[in-house]
Amino acid sequence: MLAQKNPYISSAYQQLQAVSRDREKRLEYEARGKAVLDYNQMMFESEQKGLEQGLEQGLERGLRQGETYQLIRMVKRKMEKGKTAVQIASELDEELALVEKIHNAINAGHPDDSCEKIYDILCGQDVGDSANGKE
C-alpha cells in the first residue's frame, strides 16, 4: 500500500482514520473545511468588488477627461475667432471661472499646443471636477 511507503501519506491516512471513527472530530474537520471555503469565497468576492470599483472609477475619470478635452477644443476655436472668456462662457453655457482657467492656460502656452498639453497645464487646477459642476 502507498501509505506504507511514504511517511506523509501514512500520517494523513492515520489522521483520516481517526477523524472517520470520531464523530466530534469529523464535525470539527468539516467545520474547519467550511471555514476555509467561506474565507476563500469572501476573499474572491472582495477582490471582484475591488476590480469592479477600479474599473468604474477609471471609466469615470476617462469620461471627465474627454469632456474637458472637448471643452478645451471649443474654447480654443472660439478664441481663434477673437472671442473673450466672458463671451465663450456665455455661448457654451459654462461657468466663467472654468472658461477663464482654460483661456489662461491656452494663453500661457503656445497657441498650437494640443488639447492634451493644455489639459496637463490645467491638471493642477482641478478642472475635471469643474467641468462637471463639482467646484
Side-chain angles (χ1 to χ4, degrees), residues 18-31:
V19 167
S20 297
R21 283 191 296 258
D22 187 342
R23 178 171 165 35
E24 187 175 321
K25 283 187 180 183
R26 186 175 68 246
L27 292 175
E28 287 176 13
Y29 173 80
E30 290 171 359

Side-chain angles (χ1 to χ4, degrees), residues 86-119:
V86 173
Q87 292 170 322
I88 295 169
S90 175
E91 289 176 12
L92 297 178
D93 197 27
E94 291 288 343
E95 293 181 26
L96 178 60
L98 173 59
V99 173
E100 285 177 336
K101 286 179 185 178
I102 295 171
H103 196 278
N104 293 338
I106 292 170
N107 283 334
H110 191 274
D112 294 329
D113 281 348
S114 67
C115 291
E116 291 82 4
K117 194 165 187 178
I118 295 166
Y119 181 84

Side-chain angles (χ1 to χ4, degrees), residues 47-121:
E47 181 182 12
Q48 293 301 309
K49 185 176 182 180
L51 289 171
E52 288 172 12
Q53 288 175 344
L55 178 61
E56 185 176 311
Q57 290 171 358
L59 288 172
E60 287 173 9
R61 183 179 295 153
L63 287 172
R64 281 195 311 268
Q65 185 177 9
E67 290 171 356
T68 303
Y69 280 10
Q70 182 63 26
L71 183 57
I72 291 168
R73 280 188 207 97
M74 291 189 292
V75 170
K76 257 180 104 167
R77 279 192 220 118
K78 291 190 180 288
M79 285 176 64
E80 288 167 0
K81 294 178 181 178
K83 305 261 178 156
T84 65
V86 173
Q87 292 170 322
I88 295 169
S90 175
E91 289 176 12
L92 297 178
D93 197 27
E94 291 288 343
E95 293 181 26
L96 178 60
L98 173 59
V99 173
E100 285 177 336
K101 286 179 185 178
I102 295 171
H103 196 278
N104 293 338
I106 292 170
N107 283 334
H110 191 274
D112 294 329
D113 281 348
S114 67
C115 291
E116 291 82 4
K117 194 165 187 178
I118 295 166
Y119 181 84
D120 290 342
I121 294 169

